Amino acid sequence: MTEKNIRRFQTALLLITNPIRSRIPSILSAVIPYVERNLYIVVQNLHTQASNASPERFFDREQQKRCIRPMLHAIYKQVTSTKNPSVDVLLHNVDSVIKSTNPLRLPSLCEAVFADCSPSPGLYDYCRNHFHQLDQNFELRTIDEKDGKEDQLIENSSTRENDLFSHKSTTPYNRGVLGGTFDRLHNGHKLLLTESALLCDEKIVVGVTDGIMIQNKVLGEIIEPVAKRMSNVSSFVYLIRPSIHVHCEPIEDPCGPSATMPDLNCIIVTEETQQGAAQVNKERAENKLSQLPVHVVSMVPADEDNLDGDIKLSSTSLRREMLGTLLRQPLKASEPNRPYIIGLTGGIGSGKSSIARRIEKLGAAVVDCDKLGHEAYKVDTDAYRKVIETFGNDVINPTDRSIDRKILGQKVFQSPDEMKKLTNIVWPAILNLAQERIEQFFQQGKRIIVLDAAVLLEAKWTVAVNEIWIASIPPKEAIRRVVERDHLSVEEVKRRLDAQMSNETRLPYANVLLCTYWAESITQKQVEHAWQLLLQRIDNDASSV
């Protein structure tokens, strides 16, 4: 392909006729810049050029598997950081030979075919006859690359004792089981599922983690619903190998169906989850079921800018990309000559206050509603008098007539009804004080003002803000932080955490989500990113008036 051929295609087919792993980086580098949405890959026929192939002669299921399998890790390793196009390796030719009388129906209309072989007169007609769903005027491009040596044609991927592809067994591995979260299906998931679909010829059972197994995952509250994740797994496997039956079910323990289903004959794991296979076989033994041979799939390496310390590609990094961005439209648009209010909230240990300080340094003013709570109880204010009327004179400190908050706490903390009476008095008073502070800051020239409030959502102060920013942290990390900071017991912190809104309950309110789980420098980048996007939104609102 020459520099002048700059046309980009929405969807294309890549036909690999000379399957040598070492060629994959250059092939994909030559193709991916020209494809915007979907790239389907077919590894086709050993020792033959597609233009004059006689595939019937070479078709053999195990041979096809040995041909395709070394390509999988090479392909997905190469496209680790590729978000567009989506890259899928089609396995249809494992079940039946692709020929003019039995063409492969591509998943969607392809505007181009890229082939890794020399141009030949019959290549265009071969593609037209052997692949359905090619655009009527599809473009054929051949990749200008030197062929590899003949003795490189069949490369062995790194073999290990539990590599079922390298075992000569009289029992085919027809029914395999695997598990994972499968959030935001990425190339690591695709490699695991594609190799599973290649190994098993009948059915794969997929346990999709849910419930307690995802509670402490970083940004677990934005993990896709389990029904969607299961649907994505089933749809993907059907796309790459329609003959395979996929059974998905949610699991809340590490073993799931693998420990109880009797008709399985292999378990598929990644390098990091091999120990889980041993636990599965232990439970199967206790259930008087056969032991499952273990097949290990290599992991797709993480991006170079990975912040989680993972060595593999992770859904966490995809969830992290949402931080600081606008998840849903603001509650109120910016108004001329009025302050723009950010309501900032989050649970204990979430780093909410540190985020407020960072936003303040970028130019915002901050109203600390927790501190205003003390002002609401000041002697002779309306709230002060209502508290005494409601809870009695014994809440008055005789030395200075202030509210004795310890005595008041004893009256309300064990009774939700009494607590509701108190918050009905205090929360409106705090909001009035906050609005006074907002107006003062605005008169001083501050346009963007942060309402830092732990009870923003519970008190329904959202009516006073333009956007809601939520600080999030996994519960396990929140407990660790608060125990260390406040010298409380784990049990006490858990009780406090349970009394608050959960991350999952807060999330639907978030216009912007932030997370302080990582190093401070990463939190700073998140806040700066959110701030710049906020300024753009305000400017856009101003220009549209």
Side-chain angles (χ1 to χ4, degrees), residues 59 61 91-97 201 241-244:
F59 179 74
R61 174 172 287 177
L91 305 177
H92 301 58
N93 52 346
V94 172
D95 295 304
S96 60
V97 64
D201 291 326
R241 194 177 177 189
S243 64
I244 295 291

Side-chain angles (χ1 to χ4, degrees), residues 111-175:
E111 302 165 87
V113 175
F114 295 84
D116 67 337
C117 53
S118 302
S120 64
L123 184 57
Y124 186 93
D125 288 338
Y126 176 88
C127 294
R128 171 66 70 193
N129 293 333
H130 288 70
F131 300 99
H132 278 183
Q133 283 287 82
L134 291 179
D135 185 90
Q136 185 175 358
N137 299 310
F138 80 93
E139 188 169 325
L140 175 64
R141 296 188 178 186
T142 54
I143 301 164
D144 184 15
E145 189 198 29
K146 294 180 181 179
D147 291 334
K149 295 180 181 179
E150 186 72 14
D151 60 2
Q152 289 179 301
L153 282 169
I154 301 179
E155 284 191 287
N156 292 320
S157 56
S158 59
T159 58
R160 47 167 69 91
E161 193 173 324
N162 48 15
D163 181 352
L164 300 188
F165 279 100
S166 65
H167 282 192
K168 292 187 177 180
S169 171
T170 56
T171 304
Y173 297 104
N174 288 336
R175 298 173 299 280

Side-chain angles (χ1 to χ4, degrees), residues 326-328 457 468-470 506-513:
L326 191 66
L327 302 180
R328 49 187 57 83
L457 302 177
I468 299 171
W469 289 19
I470 291 179
R506 289 190 191 93
L507 179 65
Y509 296 94
N511 298 103
V512 173
L513 185 68

